[in-house]
Amino acid sequence: MMKHTASGMKAPVNIREFEVAIRDMSNDELKSIRFEIENSLQHLKRSNARLQAYIDKIEGNEQLHEDNELLDDLTTDELDNIDHEDLQLFSDSLKENNIILKNHQQRLDALDQENIFRTSGSPKNKTENTKSAAIPTVSLQAEEPSDIYL
């Protein structure tokens, strides 16, 4: 599902709309969305580890990163061929990825809450109950029920 802005550009569904949208989805659709989010998280974590290694190399704070399994495929040649002028790009990309990671975690939390609600009939705690009661019902349209732009 995508939200169209006044300019006609597509924007990601905000977390409140996501929480509302998943209420009407089947368990299989929720599992599929979870899989997509978790897959994206893994790619972002790997990308962030690589970006941090690049930044460390450029700033002269190079660490061995031997214990980081996300960097198993990072070669010494790759680190040696980093363009030092790209420090700002690497830093900005790392910051953007961290924002996306936070958004993905919110979606996983929302999926967890929906699962708790479906299995127990009530939210995890009273704070969540109050919060979800305040979520307005929004009419979201998509070609398929599972088409949520994350």
Side-chain angles (χ1 to χ4, degrees):
M1 289 181 202
M2 291 183 221
K3 177 178 166 183
H4 294 275
T5 61
S7 66
M9 295 178 61
K10 295 177 182 176
V13 172
N14 72 42
I15 189 63
R16 295 286 183 221
E17 291 171 336
F18 181 84
E19 291 170 338
V20 171
I22 63 175
R23 289 179 187 168
D24 295 328
M25 293 184 178
S26 71
N27 289 339
D28 287 340
E29 289 171 318
L30 295 182
K31 286 178 188 176
S32 177
I33 290 170
R34 177 178 293 280
F35 176 80
E36 288 178 38
I37 293 171
E38 288 174 345
N39 186 46
S40 179
L41 278 172
Q42 284 304 108
H43 288 288
L44 284 167
K45 287 177 181 178
R46 192 172 296 116
S47 175
N48 277 3
R50 182 174 244 102
L51 288 167
Q52 189 61 57
Y54 295 164
I55 291 167
D56 290 344
K57 173 72 175 183
I58 292 170
E59 292 179 339
N61 300 325
E62 188 174 359
Q63 300 170 3
L64 295 178
H65 301 287
E66 290 177 11
D67 58 340
N68 192 338
E69 63 189 41
L70 296 173
L71 292 174
D72 286 346
D73 62 341
L74 183 64
T75 65
T76 304
D77 286 342
E78 187 177 347
L79 278 174
D80 289 341
N81 291 321
I82 293 172
D83 186 349
H84 298 295
E85 295 177 10
D86 286 333
L87 177 61
Q88 189 63 48
L89 174 66
F90 296 147
S91 296
D92 290 346
S93 296
L94 187 63
K95 287 176 188 173
E96 288 175 18
N97 282 358
N98 284 330
I99 291 168
I100 295 168
L101 283 168
K102 181 180 174 187
N103 290 342
H104 281 356
Q105 189 57 55
Q106 289 177 330
R107 282 157 172 68
L108 288 175
D109 292 345
L111 289 168
D112 289 343
Q113 289 301 313
E114 181 63 23
N115 186 50
I116 289 169
F117 178 76
R118 288 179 183 201
T119 57
S120 71
S122 64
K124 188 175 182 179
N125 59 44
K126 289 185 179 187
T127 305
E128 288 300 321
N129 191 23
T130 304
K131 189 166 96 174
S132 62
I135 300 171
T137 303
V138 181
S139 175
L140 301 173
Q141 296 181 4
E143 292 177 22
E144 298 281 334
S146 62
D147 287 349
I148 292 183
Y149 181 64
L150 307 170

